[in-house]
Amino acid sequence: MNAGGDGALLVVGDVVTDIVARHRGPLATGTDTTAAIRRLPGGAGANVACWAARSGCPEVRLLGRVGADAAAWHEEELAAHGVRPLLTVDPVAPTGTVICLVDSGAGGERTFLTESGASLRLGPGDWSDSLLDGVARLHLSGYLLFSERGRAVVAAALAAARARGTPASLDPASAGFLKELGTDHFLHLIDGVDLLLPSRDEACLLTGRSRAADAAAELSRRVPLVVATHGARGALVARSGAVTARVPAPAVSPLDSTGAGDAFTGAFLAALIAGAEPSAAAVAGCRAGAEAVARVGGRPPRRHE
């Protein structure tokens, strides 16, 4: 199931600007709530790419779409993390923006307000089969499935990967958007994916199961390898209808859970490309997730920080 050896990771997904507001306790409706506010580069696809590079993947490429308002900044930030940006500048839409409300008094739990902007305008015209040249593994952000253009680029990318024998993975990205799309539609759209990386909530939503282990096991009857993350409880690895590994997460004092799942995914994929078995790759993923929740924002430190 692992790619093994050398080769690039190609991530196709969203690049957005995060406005992270850390507050303590409930928001005061109708008046002011004191918060620490930062503008940071984000996006699930971009975060995965940065964490994969951080975790030793020899080459990471990111295909995405941004607005002219922040294109140069995002390219510089990706390059500073060791990612090769392949960004199309949208002539109409601005860069996507996500407001992350982080309750620092509740374990760093967060709520997102999302304007997808240019990120969901990525389409088949941005895709070329040559993007897979030298690629050991393709990874798709599930956010692409929430627009017609994105679904078309997912279909094109999966068809090209299948033709070349390149393994492909996908993370569902958002339980809220997933509910709007519909679980049956989602499962149809990901046909051809060999690795699914849902959160516990996403796995349970996709299957109607209440227990993460049952949900992961059921999903693995449809997708060859399923790795479900469960926050501080770690991750579950499932194959052929059964959970094959339970990987604990390192103990950590959470500061901001934004991007923890992206960190897991990036490190997991980097380990697979290096030749690790899924259970060992999940250990690497849990370590990266723990590192992510101990810092503000969804990205790792820059390479020289």
Side-chain angles (χ1 to χ4, degrees), residues 106-158:
E109 283 304 315
R110 77 279 192 217
T111 300
F112 295 146
L113 301 174
T114 302
E115 180 184 3
S116 299
S119 65
L120 286 192
R121 288 169 56 84
L122 187 74
D126 300 305
W127 175 260
S128 167
D129 290 358
S130 64
L131 289 167
L132 290 173
D133 292 349
V135 167
R137 178 169 284 276
L138 168 69
H139 178 72
L140 303 163
S141 171
Y143 280 113
L144 295 169
L145 297 177
F146 307 128
S147 74
E148 186 175 346
R149 286 187 179 194
R151 289 190 287 273
V153 78
V154 166
L158 285 177

Side-chain angles (χ1 to χ4, degrees), residues 20-36:
V20 181
R22 297 184 64 246
H23 60 94
R24 182 174 290 275
L27 295 173
T29 304
T31 186
D32 296 327
T33 299
T34 300

Side-chain angles (χ1 to χ4, degrees), residues 7 28-29 54 82 84 97 102 113 119 146 148-149 154-156 167 182 206 208 229 237 261 295 300:
T29 304
R54 163 81 167 180
R84 179 183 169 193
T97 301
V102 182
L113 301 174
S119 65
F146 307 128
E148 186 175 346
R149 286 187 179 194
V154 166
L206 285 168
T229 56
V237 179
R295 58 184 286 112

Side-chain angles (χ1 to χ4, degrees), residues 8-15 41-66 71-87 139 262 266-267 269-270 298-304:
L9 170 67
L10 173 63
V11 180
V12 183
D14 48 318
V15 182
N47 292 343
V48 166
C50 289
W51 280 101
R54 163 81 167 180
S55 301
C57 193
E59 183 185 352
V60 183
R61 309 169 191 170
L62 174 70
L63 177 66
R65 197 172 182 94
V66 294
W73 179 56
H74 279 292
E75 285 190 346
E76 291 168 5
E77 287 290 334
L78 289 164
H81 283 87
V83 175
R84 179 183 169 193
L86 305 171
L87 303 183
H139 178 72
D262 303 332
L269 295 175
R299 300 273 176 93
R302 288 183 172 204
R303 283 196 161 183
H304 301 298

Side-chain angles (χ1 to χ4, degrees), residues 101-216:
L101 304 177
V102 182
D103 187 347
S104 57
E109 283 304 315
R110 77 279 192 217
T111 300
F112 295 146
L113 301 174
T114 302
E115 180 184 3
S116 299
S119 65
L120 286 192
R121 288 169 56 84
L122 187 74
D126 300 305
W127 175 260
S128 167
D129 290 358
S130 64
L131 289 167
L132 290 173
D133 292 349
V135 167
R137 178 169 284 276
L138 168 69
H139 178 72
L140 303 163
S141 171
Y143 280 113
L144 295 169
L145 297 177
F146 307 128
S147 74
E148 186 175 346
R149 286 187 179 194
R151 289 190 287 273
V153 78
V154 166
L158 285 177
R162 189 180 303 114
R164 293 188 179 216
T166 302
S169 56
L170 183 141
D171 61 274
S174 167
F177 286 161
L178 186 58
K179 190 177 294 185
E180 292 180 18
L181 179 66
T183 57
D184 289 342
H185 192 192
F186 173 86
L187 291 169
H188 171 72
L189 291 170
I190 67 168
D191 184 42
V193 166
D194 74 289
L195 165 60
L196 186 66
L197 294 135
S199 68
R200 182 259 179 207
D201 289 346
E202 293 156 358
C204 290
L205 177 61
L206 285 168
T207 59
R209 301 277 190 160
S210 59
R211 294 179 64 248
D214 294 339

